[in-house]
Structures are given as C-alpha cells and as structure tokens.
Amino acid sequence: MPAPASALLVLPTLGYLLLLYAGRPGDASIVNPHRLAAVRAALATGAYAVLTVELLGAFGALKLPAIAVAWLIFLLLSLALAAWRRRHDPRPARGWAAAVGRTRARWRTATRGERLLAGSVTGLVLVELLVAILAEPNNFDSQTYHLPKIEHWVAQGSLEFWPTAIHRQVTIPPGAEYLLLHLRLFTGGDGLHNLVQWAAGVGCLLLAARITAQLGGGRRAQLITAFLVGTTPMVVLQATSTQTDLVTAAWVACLATLVLDGLHRRATAGSALALGTATGLIAVTKTSGLLGAGPLLLLWGLAQLRLGWTGSPTSPATGHRLRAVSRTGLASVVILLVAAVVTGPFLARVTAEFGNPLGPPRLRESIPMQRHDPGSILINALRIGQTALDTPLSALDGTPVGVVGTAPAEAVVATAGLIGVDPQDRATTFGQTRFPVQSWYPDEDRVAFPIAGTLALLGVLFALLRPGRLAPAHPGPVRAYAATVAVTLLAHTAMIKWQPWGNRLLLYALVLAVPLAGIWLDALLRRRTGRGNGTGRRSLAMTVTVALLAGSALAGLLAVSYGFPRRLVGAGSVFTTSDWDTRFLRRPQWAPEFRWAAEQVRASGARRIGLVQQNDNWEYPWWLLLRDGPYGGPSGREILSLQSVLPKHPPADPTTMDAIVCTGDQAVCARLVPHGWRIEFHGYVGVALPPPG
C-alpha cells in the first residue's frame, strides 16, 4: 500500500472522530448517548462518502486529488461543528480520562460471566481484524461484480455505465462499493477493502446492544446480545469479506435504534434528517434491507401520531391531533426526500438505461417471489428457515458434505407435497438451484446460524406473548418492536425467493431480532436468581442458557479458525498461503491460468484488450494483472467488453482490439474473435492474438 497517499486516510478518520464529539446528545435521558453519537457520525460520514462519489462522478472527477480535497473539506466542516459544540455545550465532555475511568468502573463492577462475555467477543473481533488485514479479497461475487465495478469507475473517472456481460456490475445498488472506492483511490489497491465489512460488523454489535438497552435490557442483556451477534458464524466470516450484507445490516440497525428513540420523543428536523439518511443508505446498499426499513418507519410514524394524540391536555383535542398528523406527515416527507437524495442518482441511471428503476426483467424476476399464494409463501418460509437453522447433524451421522438428507429438509418437502406446492417451483426458487442444500459448513456465502436464529425466533415469540416478563418497565415498546421484527421476517419470506445463499441476505433481520433474544435470556437468568418455587426449573434454564452461549462461542471460534475462504489454520491459512493463491481459494486451478493469459497479453504489447465472459465469470483478476498504475491515472491499457447486456451501451468492436482474453465458454469466445486470429485456451482461460505483422 503506497504510504504517501494512504496517509490521507487520516482525513476521514479524524473527521469521524470530530463528528463523534459534535454529535453527542444533549439530553441526559438518552439511552447510551455515546453509541447514539457514533450512529450520527457514521450516518453523516457514510452519506458524505456516497454523495461525494455521486458529485465527483457526475463531473468525471473520480480521481485521487479530487477525493483528497473532498475529505479535507469534510475534516474542516467536522472541525467547525466540533468547535461550535464545544463553545455552546452546557455539559462539556469530561475527556478521555473520564471515559477511561467509566470503563474501568464498569469492569470492576462486572460479574465474572459478564467479563467472560465481553472479553470473548472483544478477542474474536480482534482476531477478525487480523484476518481482514492479512487476507486478500477472495469472495466469489466480489471477483465477478463487486470489485470490477470499482475498477471501471477508477478507469473512466465517472459512474457512467459501461458495456458488460455481467448486469450485476451496474444494476445492483453500489452503496458499499462507494465506500470501497475511497479506499481504492487512497491506497491504490484493495489491501484495506475487508475493513469496511469489519467496521460494519463492529457497528452491528454496538447497535444491537443499544437496541437491547432501549428495550429495557441491562448490562448483562446487552452483553448477551453482542455476544450472540458477534459469535454468529455468518457475521464472523463476513467481517473479513468484501461482501455487502454486514454493511446493509449496520445501516438497518442504525435506522432501528433511531426509530426506538422516536417512540418516546417527538420528531425534530435533526431526527428526520437522520432517519432519511439511514433509509437512503439502506436503499443504495441493498434493496432487501428495505424490507426491514419499511416496518421500522411505520412503527416510528405510529409512535409519532400516538405522542401527538396524547399531548398537552390544555390544547383542543381536534386541533392538537391535526397538528400531530401534519407534523408527522411533514417529517415523513423530509425522510423520503433525504433518502431520495442519497439513492436517487443511482436509480436515475438505472431507469435511463433499462426504463425501470428496478433494472432489467432478468433482475426483477430472479430474486423477488413471483407467486404469493399462502401455500407458496408458507413453503418458501419453511425452506428459508430450514436453510438458516441447518445443523451439522447429517455430518455427525456419516452423511458426506454436499449430500443432504436431514429430517427437517425432508419434512419441508413432505409438507409441500401435502399442500400441493412444488418445492422447486421456479417462481419461488432462485435460478436453477434446488432445495435443500447443506448450509451448516462455515462458508461465508451460506453458513447457517441455528443457535442465534433459534434464540432470536424464541425472543420474538416471547416478546409478543409475554413482554412484561422480558422487560417489566417497557412491555409496550418491546411488544411493538417484536411485532415490527415479525413483520420484517414475514415480508422477507413473502418477497425473496429461496436460494442456497439466502442466509447472508437475512443478516439484517438477524441483527434486528437478536436483541429480543438478549433480553429474553437475561430474564431467564434473572428469574433463576429470584426467590420462590421452581428452583429446579430455574437451574435447568441456567444450564441451558450457558450451554447455548458456549455453543455459540464454539461456532464463532470454528468459523474464524476454519471458515472458508479465509481461515487462520489448515489449508488456505492466511499465514501460509500466498497473496495470489489466497484470491483463488474458491477456484485454485484458475490462478496459474489467469497468470499465463496475462503474460501472453503483456508479451504481445497489447494496449486495447477485449474481454469475453459470461454472467457469473471472474473479471477482477484481469484488472489486477493488466491495469497500469495504482491510482487510476492515465492508463496505457484499456479493458473493453466485447459483449453487453445494456441496451444503450453496445460492446466494443473486436477488430479494434490488440488482444482478447476469454473465460468460460470457448464457443462464445470463438464467435467473437476476428477471423484469422490464433486462439489458445488453458483450462478455464483463453487468449486470442492477431496474426504476426
């Protein structure tokens, strides 16, 4: 990582820390005010990063100097806000010494169990940080479209669409990649790319704990929540990845914690702005996250109306209620407008290209459910549930990895037969995949979360039925929040087709639901320490709770140690595997083939390189091997697609190329290569060169 430009990363870092100070709430009754300040600073920084990319991209200025100037402006604005806060704060901050003192006091008063929970999750997060720094990006989707789109932006200096055979490079919301683009320009490479998801994972832990506190959970309940989230295998594995699901979950959790603040406080301009920013960041990162945002915003709106309905007793009822409705309506409009500002430019480009903000028919029909009859929704929910809660029992009884024959999966198939629903219906099943699949193995794309998932479902259920048992002082908010989470889960299973990789799409819902598991488990432990009858039952509850937490800890430890495709020990360890081979752990046989092809191209002196590939092929290795210069300046080589699924961006002319590289289907490559060129394939990868002279 080149040091001079990488040092500029101090600009956004210092700016965020200054916003952390400036965004501290002035109301002493706010729950976990420092975490709320972190939410506000994260939203401001995230929105600035997204809008900076959009603005500079519109002028073709996505280059290092322009990005550096933008973050310098951000730092100066943050400094001005922090200085203003310092001058006008009636309760000035007590400094780092006071913060350290409070932390030490909490540690001294913590029980051994609480210390164990805090120490375990902190250690796991630090190990994840080590893996995130050491491992090269090697996620499959990142090789196909997450990271290639960043290279296209850097090469052209703008966000304009380009000819491509992989529609996901332009149709999938790019919010997380916008954040990665800043790192790419500052460092000239992808050495820090994994840190975005790692930071989002840390944010999910803190936000889930704050949500728990807002629902009435004490310190132990918050630690249990953070522990369950932090040891969930999908969270552990994605925290070292360049996927986008943890980023989505973090933005959804930001929205959730702001909504819970709004259950007891009337909307202000600042709160509406924050809610709109969170909603916009969700929409521009992953549209599935809106299935959580919608119910949350509905809960916020109903709470605002209730607060206005039961306001000042001295005001006439009719007038007071009209003002409540108008105030809530105005705040709702502000939320939508702010969200539109954040996500609107991307949607405008998609609409201009495909005539629909949701993209081409292929995208609109591949992931969303196309049948919504009760039977189809029920079977889809059961399939999603079985895949999310899959356990290694089949492996324990000798069933080899990849062979599925567990009783829960068979029960789902049998239930589908009883009600006359095809469990493989293409209208409810992604692509050509088939249910069931084995998802217990710690693979970042599909690993199940049976412990956290089961506890979350039980927490939602008990919060709906007996909220007073979970939080005696906050039964209403607990039940309302549980209903919101339940609606989110129902919406997800009614709107998203089952797919083998669907567990990662559920991360946002899991982060929303686990706080209910935290306060439920804490309530069990609290009753265990009480007086009265039922000592045996309370001891059993204690034993089961400890066993579940221990199992969750073991799952997290195994995920970070042996998880795929980034692990600490075993074949493919980040300590023993070369950088290049790490990138190809998903397809190790391709590593020498890509290098061979790149050597052929470089030896030929080609400057215009044509690209032939299919929708799920790896494009990113070509950018690593063939691009010139780390910072996206003028490049001697161009990589141009000879295919395009974009109606307004036709492919490049093969006859104008100096060389052509191909992956996948050799017949497709042969059809596009000009007559008389020599084609040679080494396995998956091929090169076509013109005749000498």
Side-chain angles (χ1 to χ4, degrees), residues 150 193 410 456 486:
I150 297 172
H193 278 10
E410 293 171 354

Side-chain angles (χ1 to χ4, degrees), residues 135-137 147 184 187-194 242 583 620 624 627:
E136 303 299 316
L147 301 186
R184 167 67 175 85
T187 65
D190 57 18
L192 299 181
H193 278 10
N194 292 333
T242 46
R583 296 180 185 277
Y620 187 56
L624 294 173
R627 71 184 179 204

